[in-house]
Amino acid sequence: MAVWLRLIAASVFLAGVSLDVLAEEKSSTDRAREALAQQGDDESETAQLEEVFQAAEKRYSMLKSGGKSLSYSFSYSYTSDSRIDLEVVNNVIRNLDVNPTATHSMTNSFSFAYGILNNVTISTNIPLSTRYDTTRELSVTDFGDISLGLRWQPFAYVPGRPTITVNSSLSTKTGVSPYEINPQRRLSTGSGTYSFSTGVNASKVLDPVVVFGSVNAGYSFEQNGLNQVRGGRVLKAVHNGQSFSFSGGFSYSLSYDTSLSISTNVSYNTATNLYFTDGTNAETQDSASGSMNMSLGIRVDPTTIINTSFGFGLTEDASDFNLGFSLPINIGAWTW
């Protein structure tokens, strides 16, 4: 058990769920070295492994008071669908045709985190998105929705017990809103509304793997003052539904320099309400989506692990597949 724990402590790296995780890698490496040098009993090594895991994964990690981290990540997703073009004249369908369509989305994100206390970390994420629609030949490059986050570890670490953290985040509407453009001429890069989410995350060491899971809930605030033409009516307000999600998986150390993570995510969104200037309103149906993600972390030097990921959708509402990679940015005082 001691050998496995020393190996996994040096290379456990969980991905696909975090942007600022890699920026904390230098701290993780220092702790990993301590774990490899640990000569105490198994309980002490388990505690050291848990600390390394916390420092290597955003939703479970804590920076020390005054600590900073900066990271960069890139993601690409592909979504395909079929559109039916038809015209109805005198109850007769004409010009029936089925056209395939696809949307390519690429996002470059920078994430910065700062430790207020040893068990409280604040963070911000700034995305730059590029989207391209093959059917309409539309493209856009603009900022996405900037978010602010807070993570809190309410209980001190106890060897052998799960580590629990609480996270909250506020997403702004800095991206191009889908409710303020002509969708036939331009694509959006944001949600168009402010939203707030909170959740609970847990992780536990089960030699020789680390298992993890989280439950989250989100709420979108109503957006008023709109003036978008939709189907002959003018949209004046929109209220997106609530969202609920669950994710879970495990991380396994293949060697000192490589680690493998597998996780799944399931989300459920309630109906969205659209309000028009003529006093009418429309409501969309509830939706659910699921995806499977795999990630490989490779150590390229003593302080840097580059993480590559691949995922695919399990439902129609999810992306067909997505690719990504992330790495920490070590620039002087930005991270230690």
Side-chain angles (χ1 to χ4, degrees), residues 41-84:
D41 55 26
D42 286 350
E43 181 174 285
S44 297
E45 293 182 347
T46 300
Q48 187 67 56
L49 170 58
E50 182 73 12
E51 292 177 3
V52 172
F53 175 74
Q54 294 170 28
E57 212 289 322
K58 170 189 172 184
R59 295 184 302 174
Y60 312 96
S61 63
M62 288 292 134
L63 288 173
K64 290 184 178 180
S65 178
K68 305 181 185 73
S69 68
L70 180 66
S71 64
Y72 164 78
S73 67
F74 170 83
S75 64
Y76 166 80
S77 64
Y78 172 84
T79 303
S80 64
D81 202 352
S82 296
R83 294 177 179 174
I84 301 177

Side-chain angles (χ1 to χ4, degrees), residues 20 24 27-28 31 50-65 67-69 113-122 150-155 163-167 201 336:
D20 63 351
E24 298 177 29
S27 175
S28 301
R31 296 179 182 181
E50 182 73 12
E51 292 177 3
V52 172
F53 175 74
Q54 294 170 28
E57 212 289 322
K58 170 189 172 184
R59 295 184 302 174
Y60 312 96
S61 63
M62 288 292 134
L63 288 173
K64 290 184 178 180
S65 178
K68 305 181 185 73
S69 68
Y114 177 78
I116 300 178
L117 302 172
N118 288 338
N119 66 335
V120 178
T121 298
I122 59 173
L150 174 70
R151 299 198 310 278
W152 170 49
Q153 184 173 335
F155 308 109
T163 298
I164 297 175
T165 60
V166 179
N167 70 87
N201 316 284
W336 56 80

Side-chain angles (χ1 to χ4, degrees), residues 184-200:
Q184 300 303 319
R185 298 182 178 180
R186 193 179 182 188
L187 301 174
S188 65
T189 61
S191 64
T193 63
Y194 288 96
S195 62
F196 176 80
S197 65
T198 185
V200 178

Side-chain angles (χ1 to χ4, degrees), residues 53 61 81 96 118 135-136 188 196 204 215 223 301 304 313:
F53 175 74
S61 63
D81 202 352
L96 178 62
N118 288 338
T135 301
R136 294 176 293 173
S188 65
F196 176 80
K204 182 173 174 49
V215 177
Q223 178 63 30
D301 63 49
T304 303

Side-chain angles (χ1 to χ4, degrees), residues 206-239:
L206 296 175
D207 184 26
V209 302
V210 175
V211 295
F212 53 88
S214 68
V215 177
N216 293 270
Y219 176 82
S220 294
F221 298 95
E222 183 174 319
Q223 178 63 30
N224 298 295
L226 302 176
N227 188 34
Q228 182 187 55
V229 177
R230 287 200 171 201
R233 294 180 293 180
V234 178
L235 180 67
K236 69 173 184 178
V238 62
H239 190 185

